[in-house]
Amino acid sequence: MSETGWLQPGETTQLDPRMLIERAAVTDVVIAAGLLFDSGEFETLGTLYTADALFEMIPAPEGFPATVSTREQITDGLARLRQINQETVGVHSRHATSNLLVTRLDTDTAEVYSIFTVTGCYTDGRLGLRRLGNYVDLLHREGTAWRIAHRRLYMQEPPPVRPAAGRDTDQPGTDQPGTEQLAAEQPVSEQVEESEA
């Protein structure tokens, strides 16, 4: 690992058994988030986030706020988004998370970059591509489990992969300072519903 905490791809010093176990655990969390959304298991999905988690979409899709904070608001908002997709568009999503790259891994913090592809199974039998983008996930350890503390979802331009010198390590995938205002006062489920009206 470099002095900046960047895990250099291909370094064999990262391949000791403990490191491999931790890498498997953090990547499982990233993959499980999409699968649980697709199956509508939002109570279980909530367990993958820290209580004070932050979720950002850059840029936000229509019907979803750009920034959501707390485990409850994240899962409520995602549940409402799934419901809207099924009721108004007639689509059941399938998330494929690929190209996972663990770029930071220490005792209690991990960062994972990945690509997501969302396909749709429509009620009329059609299949289609819904979205492409990137996740940048900052995970924190809680006891024996890894949990997503900050998820950035890039809907268009991919984020830089290698961290810039001096970047705030709690702000994954960007050279910019963190968000000061983490959540709107109105619950996310209401924001999603209003924006669809």
mmCIF file of all heavy atoms in Angstrom, residues 68-90:
data_model
loop_
_atom_site.group_PDB
_atom_site.id
_atom_site.type_symbol
_atom_site.label_atom_id
_atom_site.label_comp_id
_atom_site.label_asym_id
_atom_site.label_seq_id
_atom_site.Cartn_x
_atom_site.Cartn_y
_atom_site.Cartn_z
ATOM 1 N N VAL A 68 -29.172 11.784 0.079
ATOM 2 C CA VAL A 68 -30.042 11.208 1.101
ATOM 3 C C VAL A 68 -29.160 10.744 2.245
ATOM 4 O O VAL A 68 -28.104 10.151 2.010
ATOM 5 C CB VAL A 68 -30.831 10.002 0.552
ATOM 6 C CG1 VAL A 68 -31.775 9.450 1.598
ATOM 7 C CG2 VAL A 68 -31.580 10.369 -0.714
ATOM 8 N N SER A 69 -29.582 11.006 3.468
ATOM 9 C CA SER A 69 -28.795 10.515 4.593
ATOM 10 C C SER A 69 -29.675 9.727 5.556
ATOM 11 O O SER A 69 -30.888 9.890 5.573
ATOM 12 C CB SER A 69 -28.106 11.672 5.324
ATOM 13 O OG SER A 69 -29.056 12.525 5.904
ATOM 14 N N THR A 70 -29.057 8.909 6.300
ATOM 15 C CA THR A 70 -29.551 7.941 7.283
ATOM 16 C C THR A 70 -30.030 6.664 6.590
ATOM 17 O O THR A 70 -30.582 6.701 5.486
ATOM 18 C CB THR A 70 -30.676 8.444 8.222
ATOM 19 O OG1 THR A 70 -31.930 8.442 7.570
ATOM 20 C CG2 THR A 70 -30.341 9.814 8.823
ATOM 21 N N ARG A 71 -29.787 5.588 7.274
ATOM 22 C CA ARG A 71 -30.180 4.267 6.768
ATOM 23 C C ARG A 71 -31.665 4.216 6.423
ATOM 24 O O ARG A 71 -32.054 3.711 5.375
ATOM 25 C CB ARG A 71 -29.850 3.232 7.848
ATOM 26 C CG ARG A 71 -30.346 1.844 7.575
ATOM 27 C CD ARG A 71 -30.176 0.946 8.799
ATOM 28 N NE ARG A 71 -28.782 0.844 9.175
ATOM 29 C CZ ARG A 71 -28.339 0.838 10.433
ATOM 30 N NH1 ARG A 71 -29.199 0.956 11.437
ATOM 31 N NH2 ARG A 71 -27.067 0.715 10.691
ATOM 32 N N GLU A 72 -32.507 4.764 7.307
ATOM 33 C CA GLU A 72 -33.946 4.690 7.109
ATOM 34 C C GLU A 72 -34.383 5.466 5.873
ATOM 35 O O GLU A 72 -35.194 4.989 5.077
ATOM 36 C CB GLU A 72 -34.686 5.209 8.350
ATOM 37 C CG GLU A 72 -34.577 4.303 9.561
ATOM 38 C CD GLU A 72 -33.216 4.372 10.261
ATOM 39 O OE1 GLU A 72 -32.476 5.378 10.072
ATOM 40 O OE2 GLU A 72 -32.876 3.425 10.980
ATOM 41 N N GLN A 73 -33.850 6.696 5.703
ATOM 42 C CA GLN A 73 -34.255 7.481 4.535
ATOM 43 C C GLN A 73 -33.747 6.865 3.233
ATOM 44 O O GLN A 73 -34.419 6.927 2.206
ATOM 45 C CB GLN A 73 -33.780 8.926 4.674
ATOM 46 C CG GLN A 73 -34.573 9.680 5.721
ATOM 47 C CD GLN A 73 -34.670 11.158 5.416
ATOM 48 O OE1 GLN A 73 -34.465 11.598 4.293
ATOM 49 N NE2 GLN A 73 -34.998 11.930 6.434
ATOM 50 N N ILE A 74 -32.560 6.281 3.274
ATOM 51 C CA ILE A 74 -32.025 5.625 2.080
ATOM 52 C C ILE A 74 -32.925 4.463 1.661
ATOM 53 O O ILE A 74 -33.347 4.367 0.508
ATOM 54 C CB ILE A 74 -30.577 5.152 2.314
ATOM 55 C CG1 ILE A 74 -29.637 6.356 2.426
ATOM 56 C CG2 ILE A 74 -30.125 4.211 1.192
ATOM 57 C CD1 ILE A 74 -28.253 6.008 2.950
ATOM 58 N N THR A 75 -33.245 3.588 2.607
ATOM 59 C CA THR A 75 -34.059 2.422 2.247
ATOM 60 C C THR A 75 -35.488 2.820 1.897
ATOM 61 O O THR A 75 -36.083 2.259 0.972
ATOM 62 C CB THR A 75 -34.047 1.349 3.360
ATOM 63 O OG1 THR A 75 -34.442 1.944 4.597
ATOM 64 C CG2 THR A 75 -32.655 0.749 3.511
ATOM 65 N N ASP A 76 -36.060 3.818 2.594
ATOM 66 C CA ASP A 76 -37.408 4.281 2.258
ATOM 67 C C ASP A 76 -37.438 4.861 0.841
ATOM 68 O O ASP A 76 -38.359 4.593 0.069
ATOM 69 C CB ASP A 76 -37.890 5.342 3.250
ATOM 70 C CG ASP A 76 -38.239 4.761 4.612
ATOM 71 O OD1 ASP A 76 -38.268 3.524 4.753
ATOM 72 O OD2 ASP A 76 -38.470 5.569 5.539
ATOM 73 N N GLY A 77 -36.437 5.675 0.512
ATOM 74 C CA GLY A 77 -36.381 6.283 -0.807
ATOM 75 C C GLY A 77 -36.208 5.257 -1.906
ATOM 76 O O GLY A 77 -36.862 5.328 -2.959
ATOM 77 N N LEU A 78 -35.321 4.278 -1.685
ATOM 78 C CA LEU A 78 -35.092 3.244 -2.681
ATOM 79 C C LEU A 78 -36.333 2.356 -2.850
ATOM 80 O O LEU A 78 -36.674 1.962 -3.968
ATOM 81 C CB LEU A 78 -33.873 2.400 -2.313
ATOM 82 C CG LEU A 78 -32.524 3.120 -2.415
ATOM 83 C CD1 LEU A 78 -31.412 2.231 -1.870
ATOM 84 C CD2 LEU A 78 -32.224 3.547 -3.844
ATOM 85 N N ALA A 79 -37.016 2.071 -1.742
ATOM 86 C CA ALA A 79 -38.240 1.270 -1.826
ATOM 87 C C ALA A 79 -39.300 1.997 -2.639
ATOM 88 O O ALA A 79 -39.992 1.390 -3.472
ATOM 89 C CB ALA A 79 -38.758 0.956 -0.426
ATOM 90 N N ARG A 80 -39.415 3.306 -2.422
ATOM 91 C CA ARG A 80 -40.402 4.090 -3.169
ATOM 92 C C ARG A 80 -40.027 4.149 -4.655
ATOM 93 O O ARG A 80 -40.896 4.034 -5.526
ATOM 94 C CB ARG A 80 -40.497 5.500 -2.570
ATOM 95 C CG ARG A 80 -41.536 6.368 -3.235
ATOM 96 C CD ARG A 80 -42.947 5.895 -2.904
ATOM 97 N NE ARG A 80 -43.896 6.721 -3.658
ATOM 98 C CZ ARG A 80 -44.870 6.244 -4.398
ATOM 99 N NH1 ARG A 80 -45.057 4.950 -4.498
ATOM 100 N NH2 ARG A 80 -45.681 7.050 -5.043
ATOM 101 N N LEU A 81 -38.744 4.315 -4.948
ATOM 102 C CA LEU A 81 -38.288 4.347 -6.336
ATOM 103 C C LEU A 81 -38.604 3.031 -7.044
ATOM 104 O O LEU A 81 -39.087 3.018 -8.176
ATOM 105 C CB LEU A 81 -36.790 4.627 -6.375
ATOM 106 C CG LEU A 81 -36.175 4.898 -7.743
ATOM 107 C CD1 LEU A 81 -36.770 6.153 -8.368
ATOM 108 C CD2 LEU A 81 -34.666 5.029 -7.617
ATOM 109 N N ARG A 82 -38.360 1.913 -6.364
ATOM 110 C CA ARG A 82 -38.677 0.605 -6.948
ATOM 111 C C ARG A 82 -40.174 0.476 -7.221
ATOM 112 O O ARG A 82 -40.601 0.003 -8.277
ATOM 113 C CB ARG A 82 -38.204 -0.512 -6.024
ATOM 114 C CG ARG A 82 -38.469 -1.919 -6.551
ATOM 115 C CD ARG A 82 -37.898 -2.964 -5.597
ATOM 116 N NE ARG A 82 -38.048 -4.302 -6.104
ATOM 117 C CZ ARG A 82 -39.098 -5.090 -5.875
ATOM 118 N NH1 ARG A 82 -40.111 -4.655 -5.134
ATOM 119 N NH2 ARG A 82 -39.151 -6.308 -6.376
ATOM 120 N N GLN A 83 -40.986 0.929 -6.255
ATOM 121 C CA GLN A 83 -42.438 0.854 -6.410
ATOM 122 C C GLN A 83 -42.906 1.703 -7.601
ATOM 123 O O GLN A 83 -43.732 1.262 -8.401
ATOM 124 C CB GLN A 83 -43.114 1.338 -5.124
ATOM 125 C CG GLN A 83 -44.627 1.293 -5.169
ATOM 126 C CD GLN A 83 -45.252 1.822 -3.891
ATOM 127 O OE1 GLN A 83 -44.573 2.338 -3.003
ATOM 128 N NE2 GLN A 83 -46.558 1.709 -3.789
ATOM 129 N N ILE A 84 -42.362 2.909 -7.724
ATOM 130 C CA ILE A 84 -42.727 3.782 -8.838
ATOM 131 C C ILE A 84 -42.358 3.131 -10.174
ATOM 132 O O ILE A 84 -43.143 3.146 -11.129
ATOM 133 C CB ILE A 84 -42.051 5.161 -8.686
ATOM 134 C CG1 ILE A 84 -42.715 5.946 -7.552
ATOM 135 C CG2 ILE A 84 -42.110 5.955 -9.990
ATOM 136 C CD1 ILE A 84 -41.940 7.172 -7.118
ATOM 137 N N ASN A 85 -41.159 2.547 -10.242
ATOM 138 C CA ASN A 85 -40.724 1.875 -11.474
ATOM 139 C C ASN A 85 -41.678 0.752 -11.855
ATOM 140 O O ASN A 85 -42.001 0.568 -13.032
ATOM 141 C CB ASN A 85 -39.307 1.320 -11.323
ATOM 142 C CG ASN A 85 -38.257 2.402 -11.379
ATOM 143 O OD1 ASN A 85 -38.491 3.483 -11.899
ATOM 144 N ND2 ASN A 85 -37.093 2.116 -10.827
ATOM 145 N N GLN A 86 -42.130 -0.004 -10.869
ATOM 146 C CA GLN A 86 -43.025 -1.119 -11.170
ATOM 147 C C GLN A 86 -44.416 -0.640 -11.548
ATOM 148 O O GLN A 86 -45.030 -1.171 -12.467
ATOM 149 C CB GLN A 86 -43.092 -2.066 -9.974
ATOM 150 C CG GLN A 86 -41.798 -2.827 -9.773
ATOM 151 C CD GLN A 86 -41.843 -3.778 -8.590
ATOM 152 O OE1 GLN A 86 -42.685 -3.654 -7.708
ATOM 153 N NE2 GLN A 86 -40.928 -4.727 -8.562
ATOM 154 N N GLU A 87 -44.914 0.387 -10.843
ATOM 155 C CA GLU A 87 -46.287 0.818 -11.069
ATOM 156 C C GLU A 87 -46.447 1.709 -12.295
ATOM 157 O O GLU A 87 -47.454 1.624 -12.996
ATOM 158 C CB GLU A 87 -46.812 1.563 -9.832
ATOM 159 C CG GLU A 87 -46.997 0.655 -8.634
ATOM 160 C CD GLU A 87 -47.402 1.407 -7.382
ATOM 161 O OE1 GLU A 87 -47.521 2.664 -7.431
ATOM 162 O OE2 GLU A 87 -47.613 0.751 -6.341
ATOM 163 N N THR A 88 -45.478 2.570 -12.579
ATOM 164 C CA THR A 88 -45.644 3.523 -13.679
ATOM 165 C C THR A 88 -44.960 3.077 -14.965
ATOM 166 O O THR A 88 -45.417 3.411 -16.051
ATOM 167 C CB THR A 88 -45.111 4.921 -13.288
ATOM 168 O OG1 THR A 88 -43.708 4.839 -13.053
ATOM 169 C CG2 THR A 88 -45.817 5.436 -12.045
ATOM 170 N N VAL A 89 -43.848 2.344 -14.844
ATOM 171 C CA VAL A 89 -43.112 1.920 -16.033
ATOM 172 C C VAL A 89 -43.340 0.436 -16.319
ATOM 173 O O VAL A 89 -43.166 -0.015 -17.439
ATOM 174 C CB VAL A 89 -41.596 2.213 -15.865
ATOM 175 C CG1 VAL A 89 -40.823 1.862 -17.126
ATOM 176 C CG2 VAL A 89 -41.366 3.671 -15.502
ATOM 177 N N GLY A 90 -43.735 -0.296 -15.284
ATOM 178 C CA GLY A 90 -43.947 -1.727 -15.459
ATOM 179 C C GLY A 90 -42.651 -2.489 -15.627
ATOM 180 O O GLY A 90 -42.547 -3.372 -16.466
#
